[in-house]
Amino acid sequence: MWEIRDKNIWITGASSGVGQALVKLLVKRNNFIIVSSRSRTKLLELQMLAPTRIRVLDCDVGNDEDMVRAQRALSELTDQLDLVIACAGTCEYDDGLQLDIASYRRVFDANFFGVVNTLRLALPHLARAMSPAQKPVFAAVGSLSSVVGFPRAEAYGASKAALGYFLDAVRADTSRVALSIVHIRPGFVDTPLTSTNDFSMPFLMSPESAAERILSGLEAGHKQIDFPRRLSLPLRFLGFFRTLWFRFCAPKITRIYKLRFH
Ligand SMILES: NC(=O)c1ccc[n+]([C@@H]2O[C@H](COP(=O)([O-])OP(=O)(O)OC[C@H]3O[C@@H](n4cnc5c(N)ncnc54)[C@H](OP(=O)(O)O)[C@@H]3O)[C@@H](O)[C@H]2O)c1
């Protein structure tokens, strides 16, 4: 058990939703926080909460060139990082199985390559925080949607499933060094990302409550933070007994009754 207080933290996806709620909680605990997203204006507004303890690093995590600039900017802001939360992400549904490659690339750029870029920039700074007393943490936000194959979520779910494998491999590679890799998988959270969803979202929670669960999971030292349990347990059960999912659940939620070819 550790307390996230007086730490150096970098949060991507901080301009809204879960990322912003995390910043608001963490700033109350006297942490120094670097906030990132593409929208500099929103980040500057957020900085008004604590101008000396919140620093703005606007960048597009999925854009490799922009991340070269961000690497220099990050080094100017801090030498070392105790905690990184890669929260930036986006969602695009594949309606009618269009398999639009451009859409898949946008989703993978933010949700998968964005996390790879974030880790690349963060690693030297996390390494500087490593000591026998302190184990720095790299956490990334995936999704419970990657536990089973959801209709229309081919791009989003696949990007989050790829993220899960990536984090496992990084955890294996760093298993002899003092670095914690954490995979966070929320259920439905009421944010701009889900605001246009036209289906019922079971156990929808507020971004504040999601942020609290993430922080308590991090402080407890959990490597996998799945919530809410009411959703994660049945999904994990169905992920294990996949035949049940495809026979009884998927046919009830798919919107495709006939494939159309143009
Ligand atoms: N809401 C849910 O139900 C839910 C469920 C499971 C997992 N998640 C995951 O939780 C994370 C946060 O989502 P949210 O619900 O809080 O959504 P949100 O309110 O839309 O926030 C997404 C954040 O990511 C930033 N972002 C998006 N693309 C980016 C890019 N290429 N580079 C830098 N920043 C980028 C956005 O800022 P800019 O637009 O300013 O760049 C924004 O700050 C995402 O990874 C999402 O997949 C959400």
Side-chain angles (χ1 to χ4, degrees):
M1 187 85 185
W2 64 305
E3 203 188 359
I4 309 179
R5 185 176 288 281
D6 305 319
K7 304 285 185 231
N8 279 358
I9 300 171
W10 180 25
I11 300 181
T12 71
S15 64
S16 79
V18 178
Q20 189 186 77
L22 279 165
V23 174
K24 288 181 176 171
L25 271 185
L26 285 165
V27 81
K28 287 185 195 148
R29 301 177 181 199
N30 209 42
N31 293 291
F32 171 81
I33 311 168
I34 298 167
V35 292
S36 290
S37 86
R38 291 163 301 182
S39 159
R40 184 168 175 79
T41 318
K42 287 188 194 163
L43 296 175
L44 287 170
E45 269 171 38
L46 185 62
Q47 190 185 27
M48 297 310 287
L49 284 176
T52 54
R53 281 187 290 111
I54 296 180
R55 290 295 162 87
V56 169
L57 170 52
D58 54 307
C59 59
D60 181 341
V61 293
N63 180 320
D64 302 343
E65 282 172 25
D66 198 32
M67 290 306 270
V68 172
R69 175 194 60 82
Q71 187 161 25
R72 286 193 294 272
L74 180 65
S75 299
E76 281 162 20
L77 288 171
T78 189
D79 211 23
Q80 57 116 25
L81 287 165
D82 304 296
L83 169 65
V84 176
I85 307 178
C87 192
T90 192
C91 179
E92 291 183 33
Y93 291 116
D94 186 345
D95 282 311
L97 211 54
Q98 302 283 315
L99 303 171
D100 170 12
I101 291 293
S103 164
Y104 280 62
R105 284 198 206 284
R106 281 193 297 273
V107 171
F108 268 76
D109 276 348
N111 296 357
F112 180 73
F113 294 110
V115 179
V116 179
N117 270 331
T118 305
L119 178 61
R120 187 166 50 78
L121 266 60
L123 260 184
H125 300 271
L126 290 165
R128 279 183 214 114
M130 285 179 201
S131 75
Q134 174 137 36
K135 212 172 179 186
V137 176
F138 181 86
V141 182
S143 166
L144 279 180
S145 69
S146 64
V147 177
V148 290
F150 275 95
R152 298 166 72 227
E154 284 85 359
Y156 182 73
S159 71
K160 296 296 192 181
L163 171 65
Y165 188 93
F166 171 72
L167 293 173
D168 275 353
V170 174
R171 190 180 299 153
D173 256 331
T174 56
S175 53
R176 295 175 74 112
V177 297
L179 175 68
S180 275
I181 302 293
V182 179
H183 189 190
I184 300 161
R185 296 192 302 185
F188 293 108
V189 188
D190 191 6
T191 68
L193 188 118
T194 50
S195 61
T196 53
N197 280 356
D198 58 353
F199 52 88
S200 86
M201 293 181 272
F203 316 121
L204 182 71
M205 68 179 73
S206 69
E208 292 74 24
S209 136
E212 270 162 22
R213 284 166 198 242
I214 291 170
L215 288 196
S216 58
L218 288 172
E219 290 190 322
H222 294 159
K223 301 288 181 270
Q224 176 102 23
I225 303 172
D226 288 356
F227 59 88
R229 201 175 291 185
R230 286 175 296 175
L231 187 61
S232 71
L233 287 183
L235 279 180
R236 283 161 66 172
F237 174 84
L238 289 164
F240 194 71
F241 297 104
R242 291 154 53 84
T243 325
L244 294 177
W245 171 256
F246 290 112
R247 186 170 300 168
F248 299 108
C249 306
K252 289 204 175 83
I253 49 179
T254 179
R255 297 179 183 184
I256 296 181
Y257 295 92
K258 192 175 180 185
L259 280 181
R260 293 178 204 285
F261 299 99
H262 302 288

